[in-house]
Amino acid sequence: MVEFTTVLPFETITSILSHISQSDCCECMRVCRRWHDEFPNYTKSIWTTLQISFNSWERSNVCLTRCLGPHVQTVSMFKRKPFPLLKALKDAECAIASLEVRTHASFARDFSPLFLKIVPFQGTLKELTLTNYAFDVPILRLLNDLSNLTHLTLLLDFQIGIQQLPSPDDNINLAPTKLVYLHLDNVYSFENRVAPMLRKSPRLKALVLSRNLEREPYYDVTKSSNYINTAVELCPQLRYVAWNGDCNCPKGTRPYAWREMIDSDSSLHSLRELILFGSKEDMDHIIPLLKRSQKELEYIELVNDQDGIPWNDLAHIPLPRLKSATLQGLKLTASDCSKLLLGCRDLEELHLATTLDSTQLVSVVNVLSSMKHLQYLQLDRQLNSNLVSHVSPHLFDTLSLSVGLQTVKIHDICVSDSGLLALGAIRMLRELHLGMNHHQYCIGQEALLAFAEKLMDGQLSVLSFSFLATLTDRVLERLALVKSLSLLSVAHNKNITVMGIKAFVKGGEKQLRASMCSSVSGSGLYEKQTFE
């Protein structure tokens, strides 16, 4: 048998191995002595990043060790005891620039051994992430010894309350750090733990202070968002702030994206992006900061954790550069909400959880219809509001005039027949999601059929309905004729059947996702192949 390593070019072999997982590659090295000896020559040109789980390391540690070297720059490991691997990385003289260590809290009660294993990489290490640790991290000592760090993420075990204590390394005389990104999770004391770091981080541009939202009561870091102003004063180059949110939720992915966004120069002591979960008192504290940042602010997410407390101050601060806004739990009047939107004419994304009833919301929707740059719109009913009980037949009529709107999501707001037809007439619409929670729609079946006709010449590719009792097989057959529609999601429906689903997907290019539909035998994704 001809050995492929003797006939194929080096570049071809490396290309093949680049499409194989690292664990599978290590398994290949066990095939024979020749592969065991030669594979490391190929992996060194492609394995700059290692992702190691507990099982993969235990099975293939000998083979993997042979593939280590100065070419390895990024390492992410999920191991109970990471020390052997860290030692192997050090012995192989890996030039690690980014290191992530995740472990179970019960195996991480003492920080000292891990710290000693990380310090040898101080010459090259720039990004460090420690996850699920239950020890008390001497953060200043860490920064003092890892002087080249620019990105630091500490996600601590929320069940351990020791972070309320004074820092164990208060006596360290720390030189100014190179940090530009700092994420601390479940660090409960701003004054004792966070502020000392900020005082030594003049280059910091992104600050994420997150917490486990299941843990009550709030701790020091969440007691007063006046600390945000303190943070901005201590770090004049700060541009991105996420405060008191749960960064494990989907929206929490945005702060992680900041790691790649830290490249801008702006006015000192002003923000470009702000995420804040807090009370009305917290919102009041950030008013001066918003005014100072109004010419720079591009992204804002404000979530009031109390139940609909009025807060109209935001309406009086024009934000001309704002691109994306999420506003939840803020009791804005219709006039204040309209005024706020008129001050954000370049807005591209809006998620608004409102307490306004449908009649009051008409004026807000009229403003939204005139916003030329708006591409994403999500409207939700604020909890405990009476929005569902008021139905304005012309609520969404003007949205048909929108020139840029591509995605619309409406939850717990009744949509009338004419409103649905107006949504179907939006020229650039590609995604439409309509969802009610234990309430019936106001949409009739004939309106659904007319809606399908409107979509014939449109661009809608994704459509979602939940709790829509008038959605039947007849409507599915009509929607099957919409060429642009590729995915239809139906939830909580008892009138569609397998025959209707089959009629919808029979063209071969459509999919239907059913969930909690009692007349269908099973939930899941249906396509043409399902019925073959």
Side-chain angles (χ1 to χ4, degrees):
M1 181 179 69
V2 178
E3 177 59 50
F4 78 92
T5 58
T6 63
V7 296
L8 292 179
F10 181 89
E11 294 77 10
T12 302
I13 297 176
T14 55
S15 178
I16 293 172
L17 296 183
S18 67
H19 292 83
I20 301 175
S21 69
Q22 292 167 353
S23 59
D24 288 342
C25 212
C26 288
E27 291 298 323
C28 291
M29 292 175 66
R30 298 184 178 196
V31 171
C32 64
R33 171 62 62 180
R34 187 184 187 93
W35 286 17
H36 183 270
D37 293 339
E38 293 190 5
F39 265 44
N41 297 327
Y42 303 107
T43 59
K44 286 180 181 179
S45 63
I46 55 177
W47 281 12
T48 59
T49 299
L50 295 181
Q51 293 183 337
I52 304 169
S53 67
F54 172 74
N55 292 331
S56 66
W57 172 256
E58 297 300 324
R59 289 197 311 266
S60 310
N61 54 353
V62 175
C63 296
L64 190 59
T65 302
R66 287 183 52 81
C67 299
L68 300 178
H71 59 282
V72 177
Q73 300 176 7
T74 302
V75 176
S76 176
M77 64 179 78
F78 180 28
K79 288 177 55 59
R80 294 181 180 179
K81 297 181 180 179
F83 310 127
L85 177 55
L86 289 170
K87 183 179 184 301
L89 294 170
K90 175 180 176 293
D91 293 342
E93 299 181 349
C94 296
I96 299 179
S98 178
L99 175 63
E100 178 182 8
V101 181
R102 294 180 294 156
T103 189
H104 193 279
S106 60
F107 292 91
R109 296 289 176 178
D110 187 4
F111 177 71
S112 301
L114 178 62
F115 181 75
L116 295 175
K117 298 296 183 182
I118 294 176
V119 168
F121 304 107
Q122 59 184 322
T124 57
L125 192 61
K126 294 184 177 181
E127 299 187 11
L128 176 62
T129 299
L130 303 178
T131 302
N132 265 359
Y133 278 88
F135 48 67
D136 192 11
V137 179
I139 302 176
L140 296 185
R141 176 187 168 194
L142 183 73
L143 292 174
N144 188 63
D145 289 354
L146 301 176
S147 56
N148 288 318
L149 275 185
T150 58
H151 296 68
L152 176 61
T153 300
L154 297 177
L155 309 180
L156 305 179
D157 182 3
F158 77 95
Q159 296 180 350
I160 306 300
I162 55 178
Q163 288 294 316
Q164 299 175 80
L165 302 175
S167 175
D169 50 15
D170 285 338
N171 296 325
I172 290 181
N173 185 18
L174 180 66
T177 73
K178 297 179 181 180
L179 282 182
V180 294
Y181 176 92
L182 176 62
H183 180 180
L184 301 176
D185 184 67
N186 295 311
V187 176
Y188 302 133
S189 175
F190 181 87
E191 294 179 349
N192 291 332
R193 294 305 179 90
V194 182
M197 298 180 64
L198 299 183
R199 291 190 183 96
K200 296 296 184 178
S201 304
R203 303 181 186 180
L204 195 68
K205 292 190 176 182
L207 174 62
V208 183
L209 297 180
S210 56
R211 64 181 175 92
N212 188 293
L213 296 183
E214 296 178 357
R215 180 159 185 156
E216 296 290 349
Y218 290 170
Y219 287 86
D220 183 21
V221 75
T222 66
K223 282 182 179 177
S224 173
S225 292
N226 193 37
Y227 287 139
I228 292 184
N229 294 302
T230 303
V232 174
E233 292 299 327
L234 292 175
C235 305
Q237 296 189 45
L238 202 58
R239 297 292 170 265
Y240 311 91
V241 174
W243 200 271
N244 199 29
D246 182 359
C247 287
N248 293 318
C249 65
K251 282 186 175 293
T253 58
R254 187 170 185 86
Y256 292 109
W258 290 347
R259 299 169 67 94
E260 311 298 329
M261 294 166 56
I262 304 170
D263 57 358
S264 59
D265 294 322
S266 316
S267 304
L268 296 181
H269 306 294
S270 65
L271 297 182
R272 174 165 288 187
E273 302 197 8
L274 173 63
I275 300 174
L276 171 62
F277 288 62
S279 64
K280 182 180 183 300
E281 181 184 13
D282 298 327
M283 302 295 173
D284 290 339
H285 282 143
I286 66 169
I287 289 298
L289 181 57
L290 290 176
K291 290 180 178 179
R292 205 160 57 232
S293 307
Q294 66 183 99
K295 294 183 179 180
E296 304 285 343
L297 205 60
E298 296 181 356
Y299 179 96
I300 192 169
E301 184 177 337
L302 301 178
V303 180
N304 184 3
D305 54 21
Q306 298 179 5
D307 201 10
I309 292 179
W311 191 62
N312 298 324
D313 296 334
L314 184 61
H316 304 289
I317 306 175
L319 302 172
R321 293 190 60 179
L322 196 67
K323 303 293 185 183
S324 178
T326 297
L327 305 174
Q328 298 183 44
L330 306 180
K331 241 183 182 178
L332 296 168
T333 65
S335 59
D336 282 331
C337 192
S338 299
K339 185 176 181 180
L340 169 63
L341 295 174
L342 288 171
C344 312
R345 300 304 298 183
D346 289 338
L347 197 65
E348 298 175 358
E349 301 176 356
L350 174 64
H351 177 191
L352 177 64
T354 179
T355 58
L356 301 174
D357 65 33
S358 296
T359 304
Q360 297 168 326
L361 198 56
V362 169
S363 60
V364 177
V365 172
N366 290 341
V367 174
L368 293 173
S369 304
S370 67
M371 301 181 73
K372 297 181 179 180
H373 301 285
L374 190 64
Q375 300 176 22
Y376 175 96
L377 173 62
Q378 180 172 342
L379 294 177
D380 299 340
R381 178 182 69 92
Q382 182 64 35
L383 193 63
N384 297 331
S385 77
N386 62 349
L387 187 55
V388 172
S389 60
H390 295 81
V391 183
S392 174
H394 305 293
L395 174 58
F396 298 108
D397 285 4
T398 56
L399 276 185
S400 61
L401 303 176
S402 175
V403 295
L405 203 54
Q406 298 179 17
T407 301
V408 175
K409 297 182 179 181
I410 300 174
H411 298 144
D412 291 347
I413 300 176
C414 280
V415 179
S416 66
D417 289 353
S418 63
L420 180 65
L421 296 177
L423 293 172
I426 299 176
R427 185 174 57 184
M428 300 295 292
L429 192 64
R430 289 177 171 82
E431 291 190 31
L432 176 61
H433 303 263
L434 301 179
M436 297 291 287
N437 188 12
H438 306 297
H439 293 280
Q440 293 296 323
Y441 274 93
C442 308
I443 302 172
Q445 187 174 101
E446 293 302 319
L448 281 171
L449 295 172
F451 170 71
E453 289 293 335
K454 276 190 172 294
L455 298 180
M456 297 297 179
D457 298 323
Q459 303 182 43
L460 191 72
S461 60
V462 178
L463 179 62
S464 175
F465 290 118
S466 62
F467 290 99
L468 181 55
T470 52
L471 181 65
T472 63
D473 289 351
R474 182 185 173 197
V475 178
L476 292 183
E477 292 172 1
R478 188 69 61 86
L479 289 172
L481 301 177
V482 180
K483 293 181 179 180
S484 63
L485 187 59
S486 60
L487 175 62
L488 173 62
S489 296
V490 182
H492 300 279
N493 180 286
K494 60 182 180 180
N495 292 321
I496 65 170
T497 67
V498 173
M499 295 301 295
I501 295 176
K502 186 175 181 179
F504 178 78
V505 302
K506 66 179 181 181
E509 298 180 355
K510 299 185 185 301
Q511 297 176 320
L512 189 146
R513 187 183 304 278
S515 175
M516 304 298 290
C517 297
S518 57
S519 57
V520 179
S521 58
S523 298
L525 185 66
Y526 294 85
E527 48 193 358
K528 183 179 180 180
Q529 292 79 358
T530 308
F531 301 98
E532 293 179 347

